[in-house]
Amino acid sequence: MAATHHRLALIWADGGYTGSLIEHCLAAFALVLAIVKRSDNMKGFVVLPKRGSSSVFSRT
């Protein structure tokens, strides 16, 4: 995947994707998996604000 998508460096994922998947993405694909969590007081579907840098893709 890294060879095909060489500019892809960061992936945002839902809070359900935790555990060993973070380490697996880094070790197997050299990709950072950032988990975006919502606060406990939200109900239903809510679009979460972006976290971190203002660009969607990090250029390396």
Side-chain angles (χ1 to χ4, degrees):
M1 181 180 299
T4 305
H5 304 288
H6 61 276
R7 293 179 8 177
L8 183 62
L10 172 66
I11 300 172
W12 288 320
D14 184 76
Y17 296 98
T18 58
S20 63
L21 184 59
I22 296 170
E23 292 83 19
H24 177 72
C25 284
L26 188 58
F29 306 113
L31 296 172
V32 175
L33 180 64
I35 304 301
V36 179
K37 295 184 179 180
R38 67 181 191 157
S39 64
D40 291 334
N41 60 356
M42 290 184 185
K43 300 231 186 256
F45 178 80
V46 177
V47 176
L48 297 174
K50 286 195 298 186
R51 312 272 167 109
S53 69
S54 60
S55 64
V56 174
F57 296 102
S58 298
R59 294 182 187 236
T60 56

